Amino acid sequence: MKHPRKIIIDTDPGQDDAVAILLALASPELQVLGLTAVAGNVPLALTQINARKVCELAGRTEIPVFAGCDAPLRRKLVTAEYVHGKTGLDGIPLPDPTMPLQPAHAVDVLIDTLRREPPGSVTLCPLGPLTNIATAFTRAPDIVPRVAEIVLMGGGCFEGGNVTPAAEFNIYVDPEAADIVFRSGVPLVVMPLDVTHKALTSRDWVEGMRSLGTPVGQAVASWTDFFERFDTAKYGSQGAPLHDPTVIAYLLDPALFTGRHINVEIETGSELTLGMTVADWWRVTDRTPNALFMGGVDREGFYRLLTERLGRL
Ligand code: BDR
Ligand code: CA
């Protein structure tokens, strides 16, 4: 097998973040250099604990977990307990982690890792607000051209927003950070709501997870049941979107997704559309393309991959 691809997962777990982390840890094609926690779905004090709980659930206590920024660059933190519960990881109760939180700050770790590893060898996988990444880029611009690629979950085009009519949560929480990342020149792959709202769980899949009979299967089923209540009420849909695992699935099998290489800019000025990803899907401007913005997913293939990989843990 080729050398595994080195990734850093920047995350605010979050049940769907947790499934993404498990998918990465189950996949030998990926070498998870570390998890960097950020404030988002719930405050940082909880996201860093949740990140460690997920590593322990997977039996991977050697994965270093770092805490990063506890607030967006210029705004007050907006959280989403109404989706993810008070802990951010409501569902089956998991034991408090015994593995330590690493002492270094996540932003320093991003900078040091990108300076240490060969240029073009580390992929960043942001699953929450982009505060840690933008802070690292601003503080150490020399690392920007060393990033292989950023594959992130965020934004929406035809699907609109999920926190305002125009904005998706991860971008809305820290639009200034998103703006820095989208202007950085690093190759971007974006998994917006247009994709994730097509990646809804089914009852059969959730029950399949439960019937794995493993702690991971139980946890994934209970997490999905927890936030499915919210999504079903909100969208009138059957099942819940597993947003963040699409990022890891793309690294494992990019052919599951279709999209367009287009220009995407972030609204930071308007109160009405703050955090909107203005995606030039029809290429009606001459703005330079900066992102592979996805629109379609092979849903069956995506869930087949998840089942196969999560079954290994
Ligand atoms: C995104 O926001 C969070 O609630 C989820 O974890 C996901 O990253 C979806 O809008
Ligand atoms: Ca997330």
Side-chain angles (χ1 to χ4, degrees), residues 212-272:
L212 286 175
T214 60
V216 163
Q218 298 289 331
V220 171
S222 80
W223 292 334
T224 317
D225 279 344
F226 182 84
F227 71 85
E228 189 177 297
R229 280 195 286 272
F230 169 80
D231 285 295
T232 308
K234 182 172 178 186
Y235 303 112
S237 59
Q238 282 277 315
L242 276 184
H243 303 280
D244 294 337
T246 59
V247 165
I248 306 298
Y250 173 80
L251 298 177
L252 298 172
D253 188 359
L256 291 173
F257 301 91
T258 52
R260 290 186 178 197
H261 192 235
I262 56 171
N263 178 271
V264 182
E265 299 198 4
I266 309 296
E267 177 60 61
T268 56
S270 151
E271 221 176 279
L272 185 64

Side-chain angles (χ1 to χ4, degrees), residues 34-167:
L35 304 184
T36 51
V38 68
N41 287 323
V42 286
L44 180 70
L46 291 170
T47 59
Q48 58 88 351
I49 290 180
N50 292 344
R52 287 184 288 145
K53 284 183 177 176
V54 175
C55 291
E56 288 197 358
L57 176 67
R60 296 291 298 277
T61 51
E62 84 287 3
I63 302 284
V65 176
F66 305 90
C69 300
D70 62 1
L73 298 184
R74 291 208 226 132
R75 297 173 191 273
K76 268 186 63 172
L77 178 65
V78 175
T79 53
E81 284 87 356
Y82 57 96
V83 185
H84 301 276
K86 227 173 44 225
T87 66
L89 209 51
D90 281 22
I92 225 170
L94 293 174
D96 284 336
T98 56
M99 63 186 273
L101 177 68
Q102 299 296 317
H105 192 282
V107 170
D108 294 326
V109 171
L110 286 164
I111 294 171
D112 294 347
T113 308
L114 285 160
R115 283 182 178 158
R116 184 185 66 232
E117 297 289 340
S121 68
V122 177
T123 296
L124 304 180
C125 302
L127 310 177
L130 290 156
T131 322
N132 286 343
I133 314 288
T135 305
F137 283 6
T138 307
R139 204 179 288 166
D142 59 292
I143 64 172
V144 174
R146 300 179 70 89
V147 179
E149 189 172 36
I150 296 177
V151 185
L152 67 90
M153 191 278 137
C157 178
F158 300 104
E159 197 62 17
N162 60 358
V163 54
T164 75

Side-chain angles (χ1 to χ4, degrees), residues 284-297:
V284 293
T285 72
D286 55 9
R287 295 197 283 259
T288 310
N290 59 341
L292 177 55
F293 194 89
M294 295 305 191
V297 54

